[in-house]
Amino acid sequence: MKVLRRDGSIYEGSFEEKEVREAFWHTSAHVLAQAVKRLYPDTKCAIGPAISNGFYYDFDFGVPFSEEQLKDVEKEMGKIIGEALPLEVCERERQEAAAFMAERKEPYKVELILALPEGETVSFYRQGDYEESCAGPHIDNTCRIGAFRLLSLAGAYWRGDEKNKMLTRIYGVSFPEASGLAQYLHMLEEAKKRDHRKLGKELGLFTIMEEGPGFPFFLPKGLALKNLLIGYWRKLHEREGYQEIATPMMLDRRLWEISGHWEHYRDKMYTTAIDNREFAIKPMNCPGGMLVYKMEPRSYKELPLRLGELGVVHRHEQLHGLMRVRCLTQDDAHIFMTEGQVVEEIQKVVRLIGQVYSRFGFSYHVELSTRPEDSIGTQEEWELATGALERAIREMGIPYMVNEGDGAFYGPKLDFHLKDSIGRTWQCGTIQLDFQLPRRFEASYVGADGEKHRPIMIHRTVFGSIERFMGILIEHYAGRFPVWLSPVQVMVLPVSEKSLAYAGEVTEKLKSQNIRAELDQREEKLGYKIREAQLLKVPYMLVLGEKEQEKQTLSVRARDAEEGKQDLGEMALPDFVQMVERKETGFFGYKAL
């Protein structure tokens, strides 16, 4: 597929490439705008970018616009695509560009153009009777859009400012082939079924209350799941030579000024005053880790020093269940090292992240995020850090994409985007290389030459945050967690009160073997109890009646078919315990580490 860049050059690539995909969706947004202008000529166009999954366009219709009207817009878009309109690009001087859009009565475009520096040129893309100011790039012809769908409407303030006018945002998605659209729509349906907020409530995992927006309450089963992830994390990091620390949740404002967070992250921080001193509730763990490093003189013989922390941090974020919370447990680690250790340490973290994701059945891709506009440090330091990350990942033979300008304010990073069971990607793990904080905090170590040197620092996470990773796992497994990860592994179901005592004995014996078992002793019919256990997605149900009590056996039902069947028949308790333990070790199991 051909991509037309702002300078008029053509790049040819596949839809799987980020630049091509974004250009494809950007052009689809322009087709949407062209269709709207044909049907509703008085409408004012605002912005229409490509996003992570498709595109949107913001319009000022001036009159009510409803979802029923989307069908008419889709029909007009189909006509535009069928016209096979080639895209052309040209440039105009800033004032000429503003006058051009003003003549077409597009005030939002004029505002954007006039916000550019004096003397700036503005690129315009034209397709048939439609032309607008746009940085591009775009695909070369509207006919490349093989299938599309307008998905929804939403309100959006102009420039995201609630003081501005509310616009109508139309979301859509498009693909070169009809099969791509069909697959995507299937994924959306699956995503609705797997919504972690819905399943979290049904499975009794967590809740978020009005009294604490963005601050999750973990219920017993949810806390069991969270603790399993934490236990796994601790075992892995102990094996990999990390020392776990815990730093305070609230620290003096001056610390955050030194680190740079006060200047670059202040709008997301919570603050308070105590004894006439201003404190910040930590949004990050790194300044606390830096203070721990500086507590005593360090020698090169101690490096690399790997400090891990399951730190609870608070950030004022937009909210979405567990995916976007304001209180989260970040599985942080900070590695202090010499320059000669940098590449090897990066590679060790890459391998650790890969091992964790494979345990859960995730594949992943890597993006190298480079220096943002809002950053600290010299260009030379950024080039050194970026080069080290590139070298480390290249030597491992792992492909990566470059995400320009998306690094942390203190350094470039490798971001790990995992793919779940229905094809969605989530950015979780990260490796950030930092020359700045050690300098700002005047951290040092004594080298082999007896002189003081500045350590280099890695910030890294594997899960990203425990809460968000839980949300991803709930949707990845649709709540049907593997045996090792299930908050309740076995539900014990007595047939009647006569077998209740035996069922209680079995439950206690299972617990003594570290199997998470629950006894359903409600006075309900057996069929009802089985259905309830199935709704809770418990991996195993043990049906215990007088026959099982007499023979001291278990009637075992599996949630998932094993050896082609769900009813596994009668089994002795030791054999059942051994089967569950095999499941734990085979998929995950601390024994397998």
Side-chain angles (χ1 to χ4, degrees), residues 442-456:
E442 298 181 344
S444 65
Y445 67 90
V446 177
D449 57 2
E451 300 295 323
K452 282 190 174 182
H453 299 269
R454 188 83 66 215
I456 298 171

Side-chain angles (χ1 to χ4, degrees), residues 423-436:
R424 297 171 301 177
T425 58
W426 307 89
Q427 194 273 308
C428 291
T430 188
I431 303 173
Q432 303 171 354
L433 194 54
D434 184 3
F435 287 69
Q436 308 308 320

Side-chain angles (χ1 to χ4, degrees), residues 79-308:
K79 291 179 182 177
I80 293 167
I81 291 166
E83 290 169 16
L85 302 175
L87 275 86
E88 302 170 0
V89 62
C90 70
E91 293 207 348
R92 293 182 171 92
E93 292 296 326
R94 177 174 169 271
Q95 290 302 326
E96 181 191 354
F100 183 86
M101 296 313 297
E103 185 182 338
R104 281 157 178 74
K105 299 179 180 178
E106 295 289 1
Y108 299 102
K109 298 294 184 185
V110 172
E111 183 179 330
L112 291 172
I113 291 168
L114 293 179
L116 297 172
E118 195 74 43
E120 188 90 3
T121 58
V122 182
S123 57
F124 282 74
Y125 281 82
R126 183 173 65 218
Q127 55 198 49
D129 58 5
Y130 182 78
E131 183 174 2
E132 72 163 85
S133 53
C134 178
H138 287 271
I139 56 174
D140 67 327
N141 196 295
T142 62
C143 70
R144 311 290 182 207
I145 302 170
F148 69 94
R149 178 73 58 85
L150 298 182
L151 300 170
S152 62
L153 294 180
Y157 291 109
W158 169 236
R159 292 193 152 185
D161 188 339
E162 61 184 15
K163 296 176 183 177
N164 291 334
K165 188 169 185 179
M166 175 73 78
L167 305 177
T168 300
R169 178 169 293 178
I170 301 179
Y171 285 96
V173 71
S174 57
F175 294 89
E177 306 288 343
S179 59
L181 177 62
Q183 186 177 352
Y184 181 78
L185 295 176
H186 174 71
M187 183 272 289
L188 288 183
E189 287 302 313
E190 277 295 308
K192 286 180 185 177
K193 297 176 191 174
R194 295 165 180 259
D195 190 318
H196 74 284
R197 295 165 298 181
K198 170 177 170 286
L199 290 174
K201 182 179 181 180
E202 292 173 356
L203 302 179
L205 300 174
F206 74 93
T207 187
I208 297 176
M209 302 186 186
E210 289 183 7
E211 292 82 354
F215 303 100
F217 287 67
F218 286 100
L219 307 177
K221 292 182 176 65
L223 189 59
L225 174 58
K226 184 176 181 180
N227 286 337
L228 282 163
L229 293 173
I230 288 173
Y232 177 38
W233 186 94
R234 285 197 164 115
K235 288 285 185 179
L236 279 175
H237 286 73
E238 181 182 348
R239 185 196 71 185
E240 294 295 313
Y242 287 79
Q243 301 175 56
E244 188 175 349
I245 62 172
T247 61
M249 197 172 293
M250 186 168 62
L251 292 163
D252 192 292
R253 166 180 170 167
R254 183 173 172 273
L255 183 76
W256 305 102
E257 290 175 336
I258 294 171
S259 70
H261 289 92
W262 194 263
E263 179 184 355
H264 297 271
Y265 211 75
R266 173 67 184 86
D267 60 336
K268 293 189 177 181
M269 295 171 66
Y270 296 102
T271 62
T272 189
I274 304 174
D275 297 334
N276 297 318
R277 292 172 64 186
E278 194 167 4
F279 289 81
I281 299 172
K282 65 177 180 180
M284 308 282 185
N285 297 307
C286 37
M290 183 62 71
L291 293 183
V292 171
Y293 177 86
K294 286 190 64 183
M295 282 179 60
E296 57 189 83
R298 301 290 181 179
S299 164
Y300 73 97
K301 294 179 182 179
E302 299 175 68
L303 305 183
L305 178 64
R306 307 181 187 99
L307 300 177

